[in-house]
Amino acid sequence: MHFSRKNLGIPYAVFLTVFVIAPLLVLLFYAFTNGQGQFTMQNLTGFFTDPNALGTLFYSLLIAAVTTLVCLLLAYPVAYILGTSRLKSRSVIIMLFVMPMWINFSLRITALKEVLTLIEGNLARYPFTNAVIGITYDFLPFMILPIYTTLEKLDGALREAAMDLGADPVRTFLQVTLPLSVPGIISGVSMVFLPAMTNYVVLDMLYNSTYIMGSLIGSYFSAYNWHGGSMIALILLVIICLFTLLTSEDGEENPRGGALL
Amino acid sequence: MSTTENIIELRHITKIFDDDGFTAVDDFNLEVKRGEFVTFLGPSGCGKTTTLRMIAGFDVPTSGEILLNGESIVGLPPYKRPINTVFQRYALFPHMNIYNNIAFGLRQKKTPEEEIRRKVRKVLALVDLEGFEERSVSTLSGGQQQRIAIARALVNEPEILLLDEPLGALDLKMRKEMQIELKAMHDKLGITFIYVTHDQEEALTMSDKIVVMNEGKTQQIGTPEDIYNEPATAFVADFIGESNIFSGIMTGKLKARFCGGEFACVDDYPEGTHITAVVRPEDVEIVPAGTGTIDGVVDTVIFKGMHYEIAVLSGKNEMVIQTVHSAKPGDRVGMRVDPENIHIMKAEDHTNTFYADINSAHRIEYNGHTLDTSLTRIIKGSRRLENGNILDANGEVIDPARMRILVSIQPEDIEMTDDQDAGLIQGTISNLIYLGDHYSYIIHTELEQDFVVYDEDLWNMDDRVSLLMPVEKMSFALRKK
């Protein structure tokens, strides 16, 4: 039998069909049916007329936005220093930021919980702050790595050219380095913002009362309301798609895209 | 020379990199006159780019002074220097169109937008790219990007324009065109150009003054004609144009022995001086065997279009000759050189060098002896493959038929012995000088080479000796045959 390179893709195609496409179809089916298996728009209109559900959506957006901003502010300076210096030890430092990801997730969050309890006394006192800290802690490496990769690939001669043409270090950063690292920022933001809206496991483990989209879906499913939960998941999916579409259009205009993902 | 005539002066500039202690530039001195076209020429790693970067302000000298119009600028950051750079790979800002790229420098100086527009249009006309304002960088060819990079630097009307191998990424034809255009631009604008290249032809074509550099040191500063006709060191002779370079010795008034013969020359050095002789391939005349200064056997003949390049072996020495007359490999010919065309300089150091061959077993062979070492040990970065081939550091197969080994050894590391079979090669002592605490001997070998040997003991003239050369004292370099 003739073997072509295309055949190498078969295992992934099977995986894609079974674990991505099929569940999506199931999700779609459940979202637009009721308990009797009949087509209905009830789930969709239900979501947008339920003030609690809408409130959760906006609150999730707020948590995600704040978390993403905090991640960006923490990650950019680190990525900048590592990406633009000629430090010999930079791979070690990068490793230090990535290493927490190798430690078991629940152990990590439990440790964070203990530390926060030690500092704050009662975790229930600052639910919003704790939610932001927890999610930031979990996702920070995903913000650092793409920005670092972009800055590291950035030709150092561009910064020198800016200085050579009379731009001081601040202007060089604002007019050259920052605009050229936008692909990395977008990549980092999309890896933090979207998961931050749904990652309620972190909050659960922090005994956090904050209710986000993930929690909402979880509560529907634990009440065996597959139809309502599926619709919310679908709505999130649409939001994610719109977001990605918007940002990737921006990224393509930039010929130096080269972020991690 | 008054300081005001010099736009820039570099005084005793030394640069040692902190991270590895590498001395990139060592006591560099230079004066550049206003409006001059100066070229730093040398092989990669010779310190030419580092020197340029220190003038631009990207690197700070470890010691020394850089004077611009008589005032030190060592402490001045790059954005405060009236100097602009054309970078090796252009370094155009990919997120800006051509107009904004060129306007970048003027905007930093808060130039009114109306004036910027006028200047950008003018400079685009200068580099022959009118109407390119709205184009994006990625739509431009290499040559066009190069012109934009030049325009972006020139629009700021710098006092000095630095060019770091600006034509390196272009193909040959484009490079030739740009050479002429750059030269024309320089003549038209009257701006001082400092140009860095490793291409000797480019340097000779464009420059008013060439600074030849090697291993961080200035080898020679002079006009292209000076550098070509009167190279100051063997390195310069080797780097500029093609040369036959021999080590030899003065044997009398205006007489030098090298390449196995005694030649009349016009450079006067005391008898017994160890010398380096340079003969350009176009200056060697082929005459019937026995009628020239030396005889040899034609080894290879290559047709080069305008001339033939003929390699003649005389003993172990090889003379490369460019001539319009062909010859046949195996022919026995005579060679003569006009005394004016032999350039003699005092040997800078007395390092003995000789060529050894690589045999089919990848061992190193000299005068019938196999050296007790291996190729992979002496050639940095080389490795042996399973099929027996040896790769050099660049991953290319070392072909014993095309490569040979240049061996260097210091005079104090060679020992003389009476035991004729003990050494690598035998010869007779043809000269000796007492140098205070040791004697310097010249040994003329049976392969018509001269070795310099230092020894504390007194030997006699015309003694026949054998030379012991320990392998661990030798250094090796791979050379094309």
Side-chain angles (χ1 to χ4, degrees):
Chain A
M1 195 181 86
H2 180 69
F3 182 84
S4 96
R5 280 165 63 92
K6 277 183 191 159
N7 296 354
L8 291 171
I10 290 177
Y12 183 69
V14 171
F15 180 89
L16 199 72
T17 315
V18 176
F19 292 105
V20 180
I21 297 178
L24 266 177
L25 291 176
V26 174
L27 186 83
L28 213 61
F29 174 76
Y30 271 97
F32 288 103
T33 52
N34 59 19
Q36 284 75 48
Q38 290 157 327
F39 176 81
T40 174
M41 296 295 276
Q42 184 60 42
N43 301 321
L44 184 67
T45 50
F47 178 83
F48 284 105
T49 49
D50 179 0
N52 284 332
L54 284 178
T56 307
L57 177 64
F58 287 118
Y59 196 68
S60 299
L61 284 171
L62 182 68
I63 290 236
V66 173
T67 309
T68 307
L69 191 68
V70 171
C71 275
L72 186 61
L73 291 178
L74 287 176
Y76 201 97
V78 175
Y80 181 81
I81 293 167
L82 293 174
T84 57
S85 72
R86 275 180 291 176
L87 274 178
K88 276 185 196 138
S89 51
R90 66 180 181 185
S91 55
V92 178
I93 300 173
I94 282 287
M95 202 56 85
L96 283 177
F97 282 99
V98 177
M99 226 156 55
M101 294 205 293
W102 300 348
I103 299 167
N104 178 277
F105 166 79
S106 53
L107 184 74
R108 227 183 324 149
I109 298 300
T110 309
L112 180 69
K113 186 179 76 191
E114 294 306 321
V115 172
L116 287 177
T117 311
L118 206 68
I119 299 168
E120 300 174 2
N122 184 354
L123 282 179
R125 214 178 289 164
Y126 311 103
F128 187 85
T129 315
N130 289 348
V132 171
I133 292 175
I135 302 172
T136 301
Y137 180 57
D138 207 31
F139 287 113
L140 189 59
F142 295 104
M143 185 66 93
I144 294 179
L145 284 177
I147 299 178
Y148 164 74
T149 316
T150 312
L151 287 172
E152 201 244 334
K153 277 196 200 146
L154 199 63
D155 188 358
L158 291 173
R159 257 174 294 130
E160 286 182 348
M163 300 246 244
D164 189 73
L165 293 166
D168 60 31
V170 175
R171 285 157 167 267
T172 299
F173 176 77
L174 291 177
Q175 296 179 14
V176 175
T177 314
L178 187 62
L180 288 175
S181 61
V182 165
I185 295 176
I186 288 176
S187 188
V189 165
S190 51
M191 287 177 78
V192 172
F193 184 79
L194 305 164
M197 280 178 67
T198 53
N199 195 332
Y200 70 101
V201 184
V202 175
L203 305 186
D204 272 2
M205 291 189 64
L206 286 174
Y207 299 149
N208 197 304
S209 56
T210 310
Y211 209 65
I212 58 172
M213 289 304 275
S215 336
L216 193 64
I217 299 172
S219 72
Y220 271 84
F221 281 176
S222 19
Y224 301 105
N225 186 347
W226 309 114
H227 305 281
S230 297
M231 178 46 81
I232 301 171
L234 194 65
I235 290 168
L236 273 179
L237 195 70
V238 170
I239 294 176
I240 292 171
C241 284
L242 285 176
F243 184 86
T244 318
L245 227 66
L246 272 172
T247 49
S248 69
E249 247 174 42
D250 236 31
E252 274 162 24
E253 265 178 32
N254 196 316
R256 291 188 80 87
L260 190 66
L261 286 163
Chain B
M1 196 180 293
S2 78
T3 36
T4 47
E5 204 179 277
N6 294 328
I7 185 157
I8 192 159
E9 282 179 45
L10 284 80
R11 290 189 184 160
H12 306 291
I13 292 291
T14 296
K15 175 70 186 176
I16 302 167
F17 283 108
D18 294 335
D19 41 353
D20 52 5
F22 175 71
T23 305
V25 179
D26 190 3
D27 195 23
F28 185 90
N29 288 285
L30 179 69
E31 292 177 350
V32 179
K33 285 203 217 73
R34 197 172 297 279
E36 249 184 332
F37 194 128
V38 179
T39 300
F40 296 169
L41 174 65
S44 61
C46 73
K48 55 190 193 297
T49 294
T50 306
T51 310
L52 196 80
R53 290 174 58 82
M54 287 190 283
I55 299 174
F58 303 133
D59 281 325
V60 181
T62 310
S63 65
E65 283 264 50
I66 301 174
L67 303 179
L68 182 74
N69 295 319
E71 275 172 53
S72 174
I73 55 163
V74 167
L76 221 54
Y79 52 90
K80 287 188 180 157
R81 300 187 184 196
I83 296 172
N84 288 112
T85 308
V86 177
F87 290 84
Q88 200 164 7
R89 277 169 295 122
Y90 323 135
L92 297 177
F93 303 123
H95 59 303
M96 299 178 191
N97 65 17
I98 299 309
Y99 179 84
N100 287 330
N101 259 284
I102 298 175
F104 190 93
L106 296 171
R107 291 214 172 108
Q108 307 306 321
K109 282 182 270 180
K110 306 249 182 327
T111 314
E113 200 60 35
E114 188 47 46
E115 195 183 333
I116 294 181
R117 203 164 301 131
R118 196 169 46 76
K119 284 188 169 172
V120 170
R121 199 177 308 132
K122 207 174 133 198
V123 82
L124 276 174
L126 179 75
V127 296
D128 225 5
L129 288 177
E130 289 110 322
F132 271 60
E133 281 94 338
E134 300 304 320
R135 298 275 290 266
S136 80
V137 172
S138 54
T139 63
L140 264 54
S141 72
Q144 290 170 334
Q145 291 193 31
Q146 181 56 71
R147 286 158 198 259
I148 297 301
I150 293 167
R152 187 179 66 173
L154 282 178
V155 79
N156 302 291
E157 292 157 20
E159 294 202 40
I160 302 174
L161 184 70
L162 307 177
L163 302 106
D164 184 7
E165 305 227 13
L167 309 183
L170 303 180
D171 62 49
L172 185 68
K173 190 165 170 281
M174 181 71 85
R175 201 155 65 218
K176 298 268 184 217
E177 283 174 24
M178 282 303 289
Q179 281 175 15
I180 296 164
E181 282 186 42
L182 269 176
K183 183 74 183 149
M185 248 179 249
H186 170 258
D187 294 345
K188 186 174 167 190
L189 298 169
I191 293 176
T192 310
F193 277 37
I194 301 182
Y195 193 97
V196 160
T197 183
H198 63 269
D199 182 336
Q200 44 110 356
E201 199 195 325
E202 199 165 286
L204 293 172
T205 312
M206 302 170 76
S207 326
D208 298 323
K209 190 196 268 180
I210 297 178
V211 181
V212 186
M213 295 179 72
N214 188 36
E215 292 178 348
K217 290 195 179 74
T218 308
Q219 297 287 316
Q220 188 172 3
I221 300 178
T223 64
E225 289 85 356
D226 284 348
I227 299 238
Y228 188 85
N229 293 330
E230 294 289 324
T233 65
F235 173 82
V236 177
D238 191 31
F239 197 74
I240 307 278
E242 284 184 53
S243 312
N244 298 289
I245 300 174
F246 307 99
S247 66
I249 179 178
M250 294 304 289
T251 48
K253 179 92 178 146
L254 302 183
K255 271 189 195 156
R257 191 180 66 221
F258 59 86
C259 195
E262 196 168 62
F263 291 82
C265 61
V266 291
D267 300 282
D268 194 8
Y269 290 103
E271 190 181 335
T273 310
H274 196 60
I275 51 127
T276 302
V278 177
V279 180
R280 297 281 181 197
E282 64 269 26
D283 292 333
V284 187
E285 226 180 295
I286 293 184
V287 294
T291 62
T293 316
I294 48 170
D295 280 353
V297 178
V298 175
D299 187 33
T300 56
V301 179
I302 301 165
F303 181 59
K304 291 263 185 173
M306 298 284 283
H307 59 260
Y308 292 93
E309 191 172 282
I310 300 173
V312 180
L313 280 178
S314 170
K316 266 267 164 178
N317 294 297
E318 186 192 63
M319 181 80 91
V320 177
I321 303 165
Q322 288 173 2
T323 166
V324 290
H325 305 292
S326 185
K328 271 203 301 292
D331 281 358
R332 193 159 180 83
V333 295
M335 289 167 276
R336 64 173 298 277
V337 186
D338 233 30
E340 285 86 51
N341 289 330
I342 297 174
H343 186 64
I344 304 268
M345 52 200 126
K346 216 174 149 180
E348 318 138 57
D349 62 36
H350 292 176
T351 307
N352 297 292
T353 57
F354 57 89
Y355 282 107
D357 291 317
I358 306 171
N359 67 19
S360 51
H362 289 103
R363 307 290 293 188
I364 298 150
E365 231 175 61
Y366 176 65
N367 192 29
H369 297 269
T370 306
L371 301 188
D372 181 23
T373 185
S374 70
L375 261 185
T376 45
R377 204 176 313 159
I378 60 168
I379 305 302
K380 226 169 135 187
S382 65
R383 57 192 191 279
R384 183 183 288 272
L385 296 182
E386 276 176 29
N387 63 14
N389 278 343
I390 294 187
L391 301 185
D392 65 10
N394 299 326
E396 277 171 42
V397 175
I398 297 174
D399 179 1
R402 291 193 306 110
M403 304 302 278
R404 53 185 177 167
I405 303 288
L406 180 68
V407 186
S408 323
I409 185 163
Q410 297 300 322
E412 61 270 26
D413 294 329
I414 303 181
E415 209 182 307
M416 291 185 285
T417 171
D418 281 326
D419 180 359
Q420 297 302 319
D421 298 328
L424 272 185
I425 190 162
Q426 295 77 42
T428 48
I429 296 178
S430 69
N431 193 280
L432 63 96
I433 323 166
Y434 187 60
L435 291 176
D437 58 348
H438 66 269
Y439 293 90
S440 171
Y441 295 93
I442 308 270
I443 319 293
H444 194 63
T445 67
E446 56 204 8
L447 294 177
E448 301 289 351
Q449 290 156 315
D450 290 299
F451 278 87
V452 186
V453 178
Y454 295 162
D455 200 34
E456 289 175 15
D457 301 322
L458 178 62
W459 296 66
N460 293 320
M461 282 291 282
D462 299 323
D463 272 1
R464 203 171 156 72
V465 294
S466 186
L467 301 181
L468 297 170
M469 296 187 250
V471 171
E472 60 274 14
K473 300 281 192 191
M474 295 178 177
S475 51
F476 303 90
L478 205 54
R479 288 283 185 273
K480 279 207 184 73
K481 261 187 186 165

